[in-house]
């Protein structure tokens, strides 16, 4: 009796393997950045509701870089990215014959946060942030008054993004001047909630992460105003200050990259149209800064005219404003 | 040497008794501590997640709104992956264990295989994930599917099942084997009528402990590319597919999926603190799944042992 059970189990497994290659329902596959994930997730959720689940969408999180790897291997229909595509990724895609349309979807304000009980920090300059975070500071800059003599003789407690995240890459490039160049003696975590907890428990703590985590935890944290190097004025992170371009250099655009070949499929085209039409409202809901309406119609225009490629040339630029981005996209 | 006085003997005994009691106290303390930790963990998740324990939580897909988000795709995914894992790992593992104990000659090849099986049980799960990414996902072209995940976890628990099978078979007295063969049974008949039935309680325990480990695994599943947002279920066999036709019997194995640990991980790392409630509730559900699997193992072992009459 038992051996017949074994045999049938093996047979089932065997048939499963053979039947495996047969029909698959239409699925739109998305992967990439965890920063962009909440936006695409919200759009996918609403889209499936609107379509009564006739079109299926899956969204994965494997980071901007991991997402591009899959995208350039022709495994996904579009990729979430918290930075523009890099040169090496462009080459990968080119080698695989993957062509894409770049679509900026929103702005994020990288937010430097401190404890709400911190009385001495009102604002900080990029130079001060550099002193605090540059690799040379490791083991040396341990007290606040070493950064600015006006600040007290109190220990500095640092919290920041883990080295694999796009946030870390952008913050170090914007503050220290070189991507991924940072001191190592700070509490690093890929899980931003760990950083939220850390900063909210220590008066002398300072940390950074995406605006959404600050916006959901305003009772526990205070956002630090950063001095705009161009105007010399301290600006707090907010939707308005990102829109008018004054919160610089920590404002960054975030993107989706859509495969040109996938856009020939009606369901992908429909999803992208839905995405661009509903993005503004949904993006506000998940605490990012939407682009002006012209940006979304511009993206759809690019789809119609099949404008392939990137406007960044494989370089991650610091402190680009919405206005500049719009101009550049329009020229394409 | 002078003989000890009565007082001295009493002192020695008292010292011994004190040490005895001390050791007992330490033992009880350790046990209580271990129990307390798990009870506290479960109670904490239960209390934190209490408000989410509604039917909707089990029947809703993931959502950006914490109160509407549910674990439907996650628990269905976990169950289906476990099904594939069990179908692949149990026959292979039991057959391998049976072969090593009953058929294999004692030589250096067998020894090497034995050492390797034991060592495999200690390989970190992420390594299995990387192996599976190369072999199942790309080489065999199974993609990021339930099949790939199930086979990956099957590899992971195969050593556990092999070792458990061998232990169970070794516990059967040699006289059973000899008696069976003495009345003219072949080796296979001996295995079929005696060895496997008598080893079954031990094998089942091993299988279920293996599956209970597999259901909580996250790293290898993330490596092979399980999804975070997926708001549909794998196709039910013979159901209608949009766009005509009906699903094949085994279409579900190629479907994209997510599992409970990934859903929990995603919820703990979201900005909105309301999702922590969801994570706690889902964590509790996962604990219940694992504990009830263990309970089934204990029950089956008890039930089957009772039926063995030597």
């Amino acid at each position: 009796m038992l051996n017949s059970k074994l045999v049938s189990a093996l047979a089932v497994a065997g048939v499963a393997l053979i039947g495996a290659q047969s029909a698959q329902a239409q699925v739109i596959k998305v992967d990439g950045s965890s920063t962009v994930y909440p936006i695409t997730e919200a759009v996918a959720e609403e889209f499936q509701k609107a379509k009564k689940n006739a079109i299926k969408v899956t969204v994965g999180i494997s980071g901007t870089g991991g997402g591009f790897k899959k995208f350039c291997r022709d495994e996904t229909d579009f990729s979430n990215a918290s930075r523009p595509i890099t040169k090496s990724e462009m080459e990968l895609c080119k080698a695989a014959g993957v062509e894409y349309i770049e679509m900026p979807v929103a702005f994020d304000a990288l937010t430097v946060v401190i404890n709400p009980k911190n009385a001495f920090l009102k604002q900080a300059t990029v130079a001060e942030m550099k002193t605090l975070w540059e690799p040379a500071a490791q083991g040396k800059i341990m007290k606040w008054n070493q950064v600015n003599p006006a600040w007290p003789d109190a220990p500095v407690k640092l919290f920041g993004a883990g080295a694999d995240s796009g946030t870390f890459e952008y913050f170090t490039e914007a503050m220290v001047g070189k991507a991924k160049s940072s001191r190592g003696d700070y509490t690093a975590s890929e899980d931003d909630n760990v950083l939220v907890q850390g900063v909210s428990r220590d008066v002398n703590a300072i940390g950074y992460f995406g605006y959404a985590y600050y916006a959901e935890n305003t009772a526990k944290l205070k956002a630090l105003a950063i001095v705009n190097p161009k105007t010399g004025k301290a600006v707090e992170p907010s939707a308005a200050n990102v829109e008018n371009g004054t919160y610089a250099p920590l404002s960054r655009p975030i993107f989706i990259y859509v495969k040109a070949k996938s856009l020939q499929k009606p369901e992908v085209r429909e999803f992208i149209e839905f995405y661009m039409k509903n993005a503004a409202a949904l993006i506000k809901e998940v605490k990012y800064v939407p682009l002006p309406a012209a940006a979304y119609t511009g993206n759809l225009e690019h789809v119609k005219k099949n404008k392939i490629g990137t406007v960044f040339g494989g370089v991650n630029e610091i402190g680009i404003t919405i206005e500049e981005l719009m101009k550049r996209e329009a020229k394409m | 040497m002078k003989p000890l006085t009565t007082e001295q003997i009493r002192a020695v005994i008292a010292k011994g008794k004190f040490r005895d009691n001390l050791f007992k106290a330490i033992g009880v303390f350790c046990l209580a501590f271990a129990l307390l930790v798990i009870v506290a963990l479960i109670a904490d998740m239960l209390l934190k997640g209490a408000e989410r324990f509604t039917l909707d939580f089990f029947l809703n897909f993931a959502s950006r709104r914490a109160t509407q988000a549910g674990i439907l795709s996650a628990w269905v995914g976990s169950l289906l992956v476990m099904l594939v894992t069990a179908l692949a790992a149990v026959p292979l593992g039991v057959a391998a264990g049976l072969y090593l104990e009953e058929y294999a000659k004692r030589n250096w090849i067998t020894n090497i295989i034995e050492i390797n099986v034991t060592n495999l049980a200690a390989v970190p799960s992420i390594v299995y994930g990387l192996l599976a990414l190369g072999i199942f996902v790309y080489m065999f072209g199974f993609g990021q599917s339930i099949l790939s995940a199930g086979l990956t976890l099957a590899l992971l628990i195969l050593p556990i099942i092999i070792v458990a099978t061998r232990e169970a078979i070794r516990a059967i007295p040699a006289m059973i084997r000899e008696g069976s063969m003495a009345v003219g049974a072949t080796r296979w008949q001996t295995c079929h009528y005696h060895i496997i039935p008598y080893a079954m309680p031990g094998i089942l325990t091993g299988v279920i402990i293996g599956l209970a480990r597999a259901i909580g695994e996250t790293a290898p599943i993330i490596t092979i590319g399980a999804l975070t947002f997926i708001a549909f279920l794998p196709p039910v066999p013979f159901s209608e597919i949009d766009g005509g036709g009906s699903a094949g019997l085994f279409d579900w194995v190629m479907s994209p999926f997510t599992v409970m640990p990934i859903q929990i991980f995603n919820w703990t790392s979201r900005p909105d603190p309301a999702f922590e409630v969801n994570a706690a509730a889902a964590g509790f559900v996962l604990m219940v799944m694992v504990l009830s699997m263990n309970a089934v193992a204990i029950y089956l072992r008890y039930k089957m042992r009772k039926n063995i009459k030597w």
Side-chain angles (χ1 to χ4, degrees):
Chain A
M1 188 201 81
L2 194 106
N3 60 335
S4 67
K5 261 191 211 158
L6 277 184
V7 168
S8 56
L10 283 173
V12 166
V15 174
L17 293 184
I18 296 158
Q21 308 298 336
S22 67
Q24 270 204 52
Q26 289 302 335
V27 178
I28 302 172
K29 286 186 183 170
V30 190
D31 210 321
S33 163
S34 59
T35 309
V36 192
Y37 173 83
I39 301 174
T40 301
E41 181 202 41
V43 177
E45 191 184 343
E46 291 305 316
F47 180 67
Q48 292 193 120
K49 258 185 222 157
K51 290 278 143 203
K52 304 239 163 22
N53 291 325
I55 301 172
K56 294 164 176 173
V57 186
T58 65
V59 192
I61 298 179
S62 48
T64 302
F68 272 128
K69 261 185 213 154
K70 287 185 184 171
F71 183 71
C72 293
R73 266 199 310 249
D74 213 0
E75 288 173 18
T76 52
D77 292 307
F78 71 86
S79 211
N80 292 329
S82 64
R83 55 160 173 76
I85 189 167
T86 64
K87 278 208 175 91
S88 60
E89 286 159 353
M90 286 162 73
E91 273 157 27
L92 267 181
C93 272
K94 202 174 175 191
V98 171
E99 294 179 317
Y100 46 84
I101 295 173
E102 178 180 73
M103 300 186 181
V105 290
F107 258 71
D108 181 26
L110 272 189
T111 303
V112 180
V113 292
I114 51 174
N115 192 287
K117 285 194 197 114
N118 186 321
F120 60 88
L121 272 176
K122 299 276 182 271
Q123 61 180 68
T125 63
V126 174
E128 282 163 348
M129 282 291 141
K130 183 177 180 188
T131 318
L132 192 57
W133 285 98
E134 68 185 347
Q138 179 150 344
K140 284 191 192 123
I141 308 291
M142 309 301 278
K143 299 234 159 124
W144 281 108
N145 59 3
Q146 286 173 292
V147 182
N148 183 335
W151 294 343
D153 180 18
V156 180
K157 295 279 170 58
L158 297 161
F159 295 84
D164 286 333
S165 74
T167 305
F168 174 78
E169 231 172 284
Y170 192 91
F171 182 84
T172 46
E173 185 154 3
M175 295 287 115
V176 182
K178 190 164 170 270
K180 296 191 176 194
S181 151
S182 167
R183 67 193 291 177
D185 54 346
Y186 67 96
T187 307
S189 177
E190 300 290 349
D191 182 352
D192 292 334
N193 281 324
V194 172
L195 308 177
V196 170
Q197 294 300 333
V199 176
S200 68
R201 280 177 196 156
D202 193 326
V203 186
N204 293 311
I206 185 167
Y208 63 88
F209 36 71
Y211 184 74
Y213 285 85
Y214 164 68
E216 296 283 4
N217 294 288
T218 44
K220 290 190 222 166
L221 304 166
K222 195 162 88 180
L224 189 59
I226 301 291
V227 176
N228 185 328
K230 279 177 198 153
T231 62
K233 276 186 196 147
V235 184
E236 275 181 17
S238 71
N241 289 342
V242 171
E243 270 161 27
N244 63 26
T246 51
Y247 187 68
L250 287 176
S251 296
R252 59 170 174 171
I254 54 183
F255 306 86
I256 60 174
Y257 283 77
V258 188
K259 202 193 294 170
K261 206 174 67 190
S262 294
L263 279 168
Q264 286 161 12
K265 292 192 263 183
E267 69 268 19
V268 176
R269 207 165 177 126
E270 209 173 334
F271 182 54
I272 292 301
E273 275 164 17
F274 186 91
Y275 202 127
M276 295 307 145
K277 273 179 197 141
N278 297 283
L282 291 170
I283 283 166
K284 263 190 201 149
E285 200 183 317
V286 295
K287 307 284 196 292
Y288 288 88
V289 182
L291 303 173
Y296 301 111
T297 50
N299 283 337
L300 287 176
E301 202 63 27
H302 286 175
V303 172
K304 249 183 223 154
K305 293 181 183 152
N306 202 25
K307 297 240 170 144
I308 285 155
T310 168
V311 293
F312 289 88
V315 187
N316 189 8
E317 267 170 80
I318 296 305
I320 186 168
T321 62
I322 292 183
E323 205 179 330
E324 285 163 10
L325 180 70
M326 296 281 292
K327 267 188 208 151
R328 223 183 284 183
E329 289 287 341
K331 254 191 244 159
M332 190 173 172
Chain B
M1 203 174 109
K2 261 197 271 178
L4 295 172
T5 63
T6 321
E7 278 81 48
Q8 280 172 317
I9 292 171
R10 285 214 179 108
V12 169
I13 292 173
K15 208 169 152 195
K17 276 213 171 139
F18 172 73
R19 284 186 181 167
D20 215 22
N21 283 332
L22 186 70
F23 184 72
K24 206 161 128 192
I26 292 173
V28 169
F29 174 77
C30 290
L31 188 70
F33 185 74
L35 275 178
L36 201 71
V37 168
I38 191 146
V39 168
L41 203 69
I42 294 175
D44 182 51
M45 286 194 295
L46 182 61
L47 291 177
K48 257 195 209 153
E51 57 187 284
R52 288 283 186 283
F53 288 117
T54 58
L55 195 60
D56 279 351
F57 186 64
F58 294 92
L59 296 180
N60 277 4
F61 290 113
S63 166
R64 68 183 182 283
R65 297 194 185 96
T67 46
Q68 290 171 18
I71 53 171
L72 181 61
S73 40
W75 71 256
V76 171
S78 272
L79 282 189
L80 291 178
V81 169
M82 283 304 107
L83 183 66
V84 173
T85 303
L87 284 180
V90 174
L92 267 179
V94 173
L98 193 65
Y99 173 80
L100 282 174
E101 279 304 307
E102 295 293 322
Y103 289 85
K105 288 200 184 83
R106 299 269 140 218
N107 56 21
W108 62 273
I109 300 181
T110 323
N111 280 340
I112 288 178
I113 292 175
E114 276 177 18
I115 291 168
N116 275 314
V117 167
T118 323
N119 282 341
L120 272 183
V123 171
S125 58
I126 185 82
V127 176
Y128 285 99
L130 292 172
L131 177 82
L133 182 68
I135 294 182
F136 297 137
V137 177
Y138 291 122
M139 213 164 95
F140 292 171
F142 293 162
Q144 282 110 17
S145 62
I146 290 176
L147 183 64
S148 297
L151 293 179
T152 310
L153 294 179
L155 283 185
L156 184 75
I157 66 167
L158 203 54
I160 302 175
I161 295 180
I162 294 176
V163 170
T165 304
R166 297 187 58 195
E167 297 286 336
I169 290 175
R170 242 180 264 167
I172 299 168
M175 61 176 189
I176 300 275
R177 244 172 242 114
E178 287 158 5
S180 168
M181 285 176 172
V183 294
T186 63
R187 189 169 281 191
W188 167 241
Q189 285 169 326
T190 306
C191 286
H192 183 184
Y193 293 106
H194 299 284
I195 304 295
I196 295 178
Y198 300 156
M200 215 50 189
I203 294 175
L204 270 177
T205 313
V207 166
I208 293 174
I209 287 173
L211 287 178
R213 177 182 168 191
I215 201 170
E217 276 296 341
T218 322
I221 303 277
I222 288 183
T223 315
I224 64 162
L227 294 152
T228 315
F229 177 79
I230 173 162
F232 57 88
L233 295 178
V236 177
F238 310 122
S239 65
E240 265 179 58
I241 306 179
D242 317 303
S246 65
L249 182 53
F250 292 106
D251 277 3
W252 60 268
V253 300
M254 294 311 280
S255 173
F257 69 103
T258 192
V259 291
M260 294 284 293
I262 291 179
Q263 186 63 70
I264 295 169
F265 179 64
N266 176 253
W267 278 339
T268 54
S269 61
R270 292 180 84 110
D272 185 352
F275 278 103
E276 282 167 28
V277 179
N278 292 37
F284 182 76
V285 173
L286 185 61
M287 280 300 284
V288 169
M289 282 166 113
V290 172
L291 288 180
S292 47
M293 281 167 91
N294 285 337
V296 168
I298 292 167
Y299 175 74
L300 283 177
R301 191 169 49 193
Y302 167 76
K303 183 102 188 182
M304 292 176 124
R305 283 230 172 111
K306 259 198 352 195
N307 291 337
I308 297 173
K309 296 183 190 86
W310 280 339

